[in-house]
Amino acid sequence: MSFKQAISQEQRQIQKLAMTQQMQQSIRILRYSIEDLNDFMHQKQLDNPFIKIKTFSSLNSLNDNRSLSLEEGLADQQTQSLTEYLLSQVHLTMRKTLLRGWVVFLIDHLDQNGYLTLDIETICQQTKADRTTLLDALTLLQRLDPPGVGARNLQECLLLQIENDDQSPAAASELVEHHFTELADHQWEKIVYKTKLSMTEVQNIFEYIRSLSPAPGAAFGADNLTYIYPDLIVEVSPESRQVEVKLSSENQPQIVFKKSYYEKFANVADQDVKAYLREKHADYVSLEHNLAQRGQTILRVGKEIALRQQEFFLDEHHPLKPLLLRDVAQKLGLHESTISRAVHGKYLKCDFGVFELKKLFKRSVVTTAKDDLSVDEAQSQIKALIDAEDTHKPLSDSRLTTLLRTNGILLSRRTVAKYREALEIASSVKRKH
């Protein structure tokens, strides 16, 4: 083999390796959350003297573009999860009835901040569950500690805490219930005019409301204070009711090439220096491309999710339709693993909260209603039925199948057994006391 041929083969192998490394970096950058991405980019800045990274910490004020996911100033960290804490109260204070089973069902649909993610009206439509029973179960849930748990929005969360506080200002409930928007917008004069309260009274009530927790369940199972930096912003046009999704550019790291500093070395004759310059410039180009590609991919995925889940943003009950990763992958012509990386650890912010993209996906099961029920909701109903059973005569999988069918959920006995096992619930024989 000639020397020329050997060099040619080596060049091809190096080029192939570089392409593989670039693809790996692209995959890694897509997988990163905003915070992980910023850590990665800062490391790249240390490795490359010709680039500068601007992140949310240097671009934004402290609170403008982040969402608090855990309550500030927690005095005591809880080691028990919110679900465990609530269930311990349920088992100590409620008799084993079907109503208690529905309370457990609702607990299964609380998010990490203690908010109820389940739309009761939708469940009533999808199944034959009694609306009054579900509302009674919700009332029982909302009487549990911590105050505010089981709320369906921030306004209800604050009202529940006010009602639980014997020392709350007299007009606090009225202001939150009837003047919530004005309070949020600091429209003091408007509130004073409508309520006939003094300016001092209104501002004192506002300070009291600020002392309440916007996330009553966040203290449970939390090791430290964390913030969420959303990748996407979702806005709904009041006139057209159109859902618009855009990239949160304020939270995205920006990469700047130090051109003047780079050019100081551009005319150096040393070949090693030239090779180093080419390597670092190529590194900058690759990073810039992968960052842009990450943003475009997340935006495309976010827009498709919003299109499929429009009712979540438009309906006050925020219902979710069954949606799988493969549905989005097929529509966008991307691999399912790409969609998984694009939604894991990525968040969107809308006018009623912050949500991880993967939470907007729901598996479905067949029901007798018009809309299918998610697998999570079907499993929760199985858990609710078992929780309310007579332990001397526990429900068999066949009996569970019949009861679920009565509620409009059409599952085979084998599927019920699979869901029961997924919940780590023993068979009826092993549950018998």
Short mmCIF file of all heavy atoms in Angstrom, two decimals, residues 132-170:
data_model
loop_
_atom_site.label_atom_id
_atom_site.label_comp_id
_atom_site.label_asym_id
_atom_site.label_seq_id
_atom_site.Cartn_x
_atom_site.Cartn_y
_atom_site.Cartn_z
N THR A 132 -71.79 13.40 42.14
CA THR A 132 -71.89 13.81 43.54
C THR A 132 -70.87 13.08 44.40
O THR A 132 -70.24 13.68 45.29
CB THR A 132 -73.31 13.53 44.08
OG1 THR A 132 -74.26 14.25 43.28
CG2 THR A 132 -73.44 13.95 45.53
N THR A 133 -70.68 11.79 44.13
CA THR A 133 -69.69 11.01 44.88
C THR A 133 -68.29 11.55 44.66
O THR A 133 -67.51 11.70 45.61
CB THR A 133 -69.75 9.52 44.46
OG1 THR A 133 -71.05 9.01 44.72
CG2 THR A 133 -68.72 8.70 45.23
N LEU A 134 -67.97 11.88 43.39
CA LEU A 134 -66.66 12.42 43.09
C LEU A 134 -66.44 13.77 43.77
O LEU A 134 -65.36 14.06 44.29
CB LEU A 134 -66.48 12.56 41.59
CG LEU A 134 -66.21 11.27 40.81
CD1 LEU A 134 -66.16 11.54 39.32
CD2 LEU A 134 -64.90 10.63 41.26
N LEU A 135 -67.47 14.62 43.78
CA LEU A 135 -67.34 15.93 44.42
C LEU A 135 -67.22 15.78 45.94
O LEU A 135 -66.47 16.54 46.58
CB LEU A 135 -68.55 16.80 44.07
CG LEU A 135 -68.62 17.28 42.61
CD1 LEU A 135 -69.91 18.04 42.35
CD2 LEU A 135 -67.41 18.16 42.28
N ASP A 136 -67.92 14.80 46.50
CA ASP A 136 -67.77 14.53 47.94
C ASP A 136 -66.35 14.07 48.25
O ASP A 136 -65.76 14.46 49.26
CB ASP A 136 -68.77 13.47 48.39
CG ASP A 136 -70.21 13.99 48.46
OD1 ASP A 136 -70.37 15.23 48.44
OD2 ASP A 136 -71.14 13.17 48.51
N ALA A 137 -65.81 13.23 47.37
CA ALA A 137 -64.44 12.75 47.55
C ALA A 137 -63.45 13.92 47.46
O ALA A 137 -62.48 13.99 48.22
CB ALA A 137 -64.11 11.69 46.49
N LEU A 138 -63.70 14.83 46.53
CA LEU A 138 -62.84 16.01 46.39
C LEU A 138 -62.89 16.87 47.66
O LEU A 138 -61.85 17.37 48.12
CB LEU A 138 -63.26 16.83 45.17
CG LEU A 138 -62.48 18.13 44.93
CD1 LEU A 138 -61.00 17.84 44.73
CD2 LEU A 138 -63.05 18.90 43.74
N THR A 139 -64.08 17.04 48.21
CA THR A 139 -64.22 17.82 49.45
C THR A 139 -63.43 17.19 50.58
O THR A 139 -62.73 17.88 51.34
CB THR A 139 -65.71 17.91 49.85
OG1 THR A 139 -66.44 18.57 48.81
CG2 THR A 139 -65.87 18.69 51.15
N LEU A 140 -63.49 15.87 50.70
CA LEU A 140 -62.73 15.17 51.73
C LEU A 140 -61.23 15.34 51.52
O LEU A 140 -60.47 15.54 52.47
CB LEU A 140 -63.09 13.68 51.75
CG LEU A 140 -64.50 13.34 52.25
CD1 LEU A 140 -64.76 11.84 52.09
CD2 LEU A 140 -64.67 13.77 53.70
N LEU A 141 -60.81 15.25 50.26
CA LEU A 141 -59.39 15.42 49.95
C LEU A 141 -58.91 16.82 50.34
O LEU A 141 -57.84 16.99 50.93
CB LEU A 141 -59.16 15.19 48.45
CG LEU A 141 -57.79 15.58 47.89
CD1 LEU A 141 -56.68 14.80 48.59
CD2 LEU A 141 -57.73 15.34 46.39
N GLN A 142 -59.73 17.82 50.02
CA GLN A 142 -59.33 19.20 50.28
C GLN A 142 -59.34 19.56 51.76
O GLN A 142 -58.87 20.63 52.14
CB GLN A 142 -60.23 20.16 49.48
CG GLN A 142 -60.01 20.06 47.98
CD GLN A 142 -60.92 20.97 47.19
OE1 GLN A 142 -61.94 21.44 47.68
NE2 GLN A 142 -60.56 21.23 45.92
N ARG A 143 -59.88 18.69 52.61
CA ARG A 143 -59.85 18.92 54.05
C ARG A 143 -58.59 18.34 54.69
O ARG A 143 -58.35 18.54 55.89
CB ARG A 143 -61.08 18.29 54.70
CG ARG A 143 -62.39 19.02 54.39
CD ARG A 143 -63.58 18.30 54.98
NE ARG A 143 -64.84 18.99 54.67
CZ ARG A 143 -66.04 18.49 54.91
NH1 ARG A 143 -66.14 17.29 55.49
NH2 ARG A 143 -67.13 19.16 54.60
N LEU A 144 -57.80 17.61 53.90
CA LEU A 144 -56.58 17.00 54.43
C LEU A 144 -55.47 18.04 54.53
O LEU A 144 -55.54 19.12 53.96
CB LEU A 144 -56.15 15.84 53.54
CG LEU A 144 -57.13 14.67 53.40
CD1 LEU A 144 -56.59 13.64 52.43
CD2 LEU A 144 -57.44 14.04 54.76
N ASP A 145 -54.45 17.68 55.28
CA ASP A 145 -53.26 18.51 55.39
C ASP A 145 -52.27 18.11 54.30
O ASP A 145 -52.16 16.91 53.98
CB ASP A 145 -52.64 18.30 56.78
CG ASP A 145 -51.50 19.26 57.08
OD1 ASP A 145 -51.77 20.46 57.18
OD2 ASP A 145 -50.36 18.78 57.17
N PRO A 146 -51.55 19.02 53.67
CA PRO A 146 -51.43 20.46 53.94
C PRO A 146 -52.59 21.25 53.34
O PRO A 146 -53.16 20.83 52.33
CB PRO A 146 -50.12 20.83 53.25
CG PRO A 146 -50.03 19.87 52.11
CD PRO A 146 -50.60 18.57 52.62
N PRO A 147 -52.96 22.36 53.97
CA PRO A 147 -54.04 23.19 53.43
C PRO A 147 -53.75 23.62 51.99
O PRO A 147 -52.63 24.02 51.67
CB PRO A 147 -54.05 24.40 54.37
CG PRO A 147 -53.44 23.89 55.64
CD PRO A 147 -52.40 22.91 55.21
N GLY A 148 -54.77 23.52 51.15
CA GLY A 148 -54.60 23.89 49.75
C GLY A 148 -54.44 22.70 48.83
O GLY A 148 -54.55 22.83 47.61
N VAL A 149 -54.18 21.51 49.42
CA VAL A 149 -54.00 20.33 48.59
C VAL A 149 -55.33 19.96 47.91
O VAL A 149 -56.40 20.15 48.48
CB VAL A 149 -53.47 19.15 49.44
CG1 VAL A 149 -54.56 18.59 50.36
CG2 VAL A 149 -52.91 18.04 48.55
N GLY A 150 -55.26 19.46 46.70
CA GLY A 150 -56.45 19.07 45.96
C GLY A 150 -57.08 20.21 45.18
O GLY A 150 -58.12 20.03 44.54
N ALA A 151 -56.45 21.38 45.21
CA ALA A 151 -56.98 22.52 44.45
C ALA A 151 -56.80 22.27 42.96
O ALA A 151 -55.90 21.56 42.54
CB ALA A 151 -56.26 23.80 44.86
N ARG A 152 -57.68 22.87 42.16
CA ARG A 152 -57.61 22.70 40.71
C ARG A 152 -56.95 23.89 40.01
O ARG A 152 -56.68 23.84 38.82
CB ARG A 152 -59.01 22.46 40.15
CG ARG A 152 -59.56 21.08 40.52
CD ARG A 152 -61.06 20.99 40.42
NE ARG A 152 -61.72 21.73 41.51
CZ ARG A 152 -63.03 21.74 41.70
NH1 ARG A 152 -63.81 21.04 40.89
NH2 ARG A 152 -63.55 22.42 42.71
N ASN A 153 -56.70 24.94 40.76
CA ASN A 153 -55.99 26.10 40.23
C ASN A 153 -55.47 26.91 41.40
O ASN A 153 -55.78 26.63 42.57
CB ASN A 153 -56.90 26.96 39.33
CG ASN A 153 -58.21 27.32 40.01
OD1 ASN A 153 -58.22 27.88 41.10
ND2 ASN A 153 -59.33 26.99 39.35
N LEU A 154 -54.68 27.94 41.11
CA LEU A 154 -54.07 28.74 42.17
C LEU A 154 -55.11 29.46 43.01
O LEU A 154 -54.99 29.55 44.23
CB LEU A 154 -53.10 29.76 41.56
CG LEU A 154 -52.42 30.73 42.53
CD1 LEU A 154 -51.62 29.98 43.57
CD2 LEU A 154 -51.54 31.72 41.78
N GLN A 155 -56.15 29.97 42.38
CA GLN A 155 -57.19 30.69 43.11
C GLN A 155 -57.84 29.79 44.16
O GLN A 155 -58.00 30.18 45.32
CB GLN A 155 -58.23 31.21 42.13
CG GLN A 155 -59.32 32.06 42.78
CD GLN A 155 -60.32 32.58 41.76
OE1 GLN A 155 -60.44 32.05 40.65
NE2 GLN A 155 -61.05 33.62 42.13
N GLU A 156 -58.21 28.58 43.75
CA GLU A 156 -58.83 27.65 44.70
C GLU A 156 -57.84 27.25 45.79
O GLU A 156 -58.22 27.09 46.96
CB GLU A 156 -59.34 26.41 43.96
CG GLU A 156 -60.11 25.45 44.85
CD GLU A 156 -60.69 24.27 44.09
OE1 GLU A 156 -60.06 23.84 43.08
OE2 GLU A 156 -61.75 23.79 44.48
N CYS A 157 -56.57 27.09 45.43
CA CYS A 157 -55.54 26.74 46.40
C CYS A 157 -55.45 27.78 47.50
O CYS A 157 -55.38 27.46 48.69
CB CYS A 157 -54.19 26.59 45.68
SG CYS A 157 -52.81 26.19 46.75
N LEU A 158 -55.45 29.06 47.12
CA LEU A 158 -55.37 30.14 48.10
C LEU A 158 -56.63 30.19 48.96
O LEU A 158 -56.55 30.40 50.18
CB LEU A 158 -55.15 31.47 47.39
CG LEU A 158 -53.85 31.60 46.60
CD1 LEU A 158 -53.80 32.92 45.85
CD2 LEU A 158 -52.64 31.45 47.51
N LEU A 159 -57.79 30.00 48.34
CA LEU A 159 -59.05 30.02 49.09
C LEU A 159 -59.09 28.93 50.14
O LEU A 159 -59.55 29.15 51.27
CB LEU A 159 -60.23 29.87 48.12
CG LEU A 159 -60.64 31.12 47.33
CD1 LEU A 159 -61.66 30.77 46.27
CD2 LEU A 159 -61.19 32.19 48.28
N LEU A 160 -58.62 27.74 49.79
CA LEU A 160 -58.61 26.63 50.74
C LEU A 160 -57.72 26.95 51.94
O LEU A 160 -58.05 26.61 53.09
CB LEU A 160 -58.13 25.35 50.05
CG LEU A 160 -59.10 24.72 49.04
CD1 LEU A 160 -58.41 23.62 48.26
CD2 LEU A 160 -60.34 24.19 49.75
N GLN A 161 -56.58 27.60 51.69
CA GLN A 161 -55.67 27.95 52.78
C GLN A 161 -56.27 29.04 53.67
O GLN A 161 -56.11 29.01 54.89
CB GLN A 161 -54.33 28.40 52.22
CG GLN A 161 -53.56 27.28 51.54
CD GLN A 161 -52.27 27.76 50.92
OE1 GLN A 161 -51.33 28.10 51.63
NE2 GLN A 161 -52.21 27.77 49.60
N ILE A 162 -56.95 29.99 53.05
CA ILE A 162 -57.59 31.07 53.81
C ILE A 162 -58.68 30.50 54.72
O ILE A 162 -58.79 30.84 55.89
CB ILE A 162 -58.17 32.14 52.86
CG1 ILE A 162 -57.03 32.86 52.14
CG2 ILE A 162 -59.02 33.14 53.62
CD1 ILE A 162 -57.49 33.75 51.00
N GLU A 163 -59.51 29.60 54.15
CA GLU A 163 -60.59 28.99 54.93
C GLU A 163 -60.07 28.16 56.09
O GLU A 163 -60.74 28.00 57.11
CB GLU A 163 -61.44 28.11 54.00
CG GLU A 163 -62.24 28.90 52.96
CD GLU A 163 -62.83 28.00 51.89
OE1 GLU A 163 -62.68 26.76 52.00
OE2 GLU A 163 -63.43 28.53 50.95
N ASN A 164 -58.85 27.63 55.95
CA ASN A 164 -58.26 26.78 56.99
C ASN A 164 -57.57 27.61 58.08
O ASN A 164 -57.19 27.06 59.11
CB ASN A 164 -57.26 25.82 56.35
CG ASN A 164 -56.74 24.77 57.30
OD1 ASN A 164 -57.46 23.86 57.68
ND2 ASN A 164 -55.49 24.92 57.71
N ASP A 165 -57.41 28.91 57.84
CA ASP A 165 -56.66 29.78 58.76
C ASP A 165 -57.62 30.65 59.57
O ASP A 165 -58.25 31.56 59.02
CB ASP A 165 -55.69 30.65 57.95
CG ASP A 165 -54.82 31.53 58.84
OD1 ASP A 165 -54.89 31.37 60.08
OD2 ASP A 165 -54.08 32.36 58.30
N ASP A 166 -57.70 30.39 60.86
CA ASP A 166 -58.59 31.16 61.73
C ASP A 166 -58.13 32.61 61.88
O ASP A 166 -58.91 33.48 62.28
CB ASP A 166 -58.68 30.52 63.12
CG ASP A 166 -59.34 29.15 63.08
OD1 ASP A 166 -60.13 28.91 62.14
OD2 ASP A 166 -59.06 28.33 63.97
N GLN A 167 -56.86 32.88 61.57
CA GLN A 167 -56.30 34.22 61.73
C GLN A 167 -56.28 35.01 60.43
O GLN A 167 -55.69 36.09 60.38
CB GLN A 167 -54.87 34.12 62.29
CG GLN A 167 -54.74 33.32 63.57
CD GLN A 167 -55.56 33.91 64.71
OE1 GLN A 167 -55.58 35.12 64.88
NE2 GLN A 167 -56.24 33.05 65.47
N SER A 168 -56.91 34.50 59.40
CA SER A 168 -56.88 35.20 58.11
C SER A 168 -57.68 36.49 58.17
O SER A 168 -58.68 36.58 58.90
CB SER A 168 -57.44 34.29 57.01
OG SER A 168 -58.80 33.98 57.27
N PRO A 169 -57.28 37.52 57.42
CA PRO A 169 -58.03 38.79 57.40
C PRO A 169 -59.47 38.55 56.95
O PRO A 169 -59.75 37.68 56.12
CB PRO A 169 -57.26 39.62 56.37
CG PRO A 169 -55.88 39.05 56.37
CD PRO A 169 -56.06 37.58 56.61
N ALA A 170 -60.38 39.35 57.48
CA ALA A 170 -61.81 39.13 57.25
C ALA A 170 -62.19 39.12 55.77
O ALA A 170 -63.03 38.32 55.35
CB ALA A 170 -62.60 40.20 58.00
#
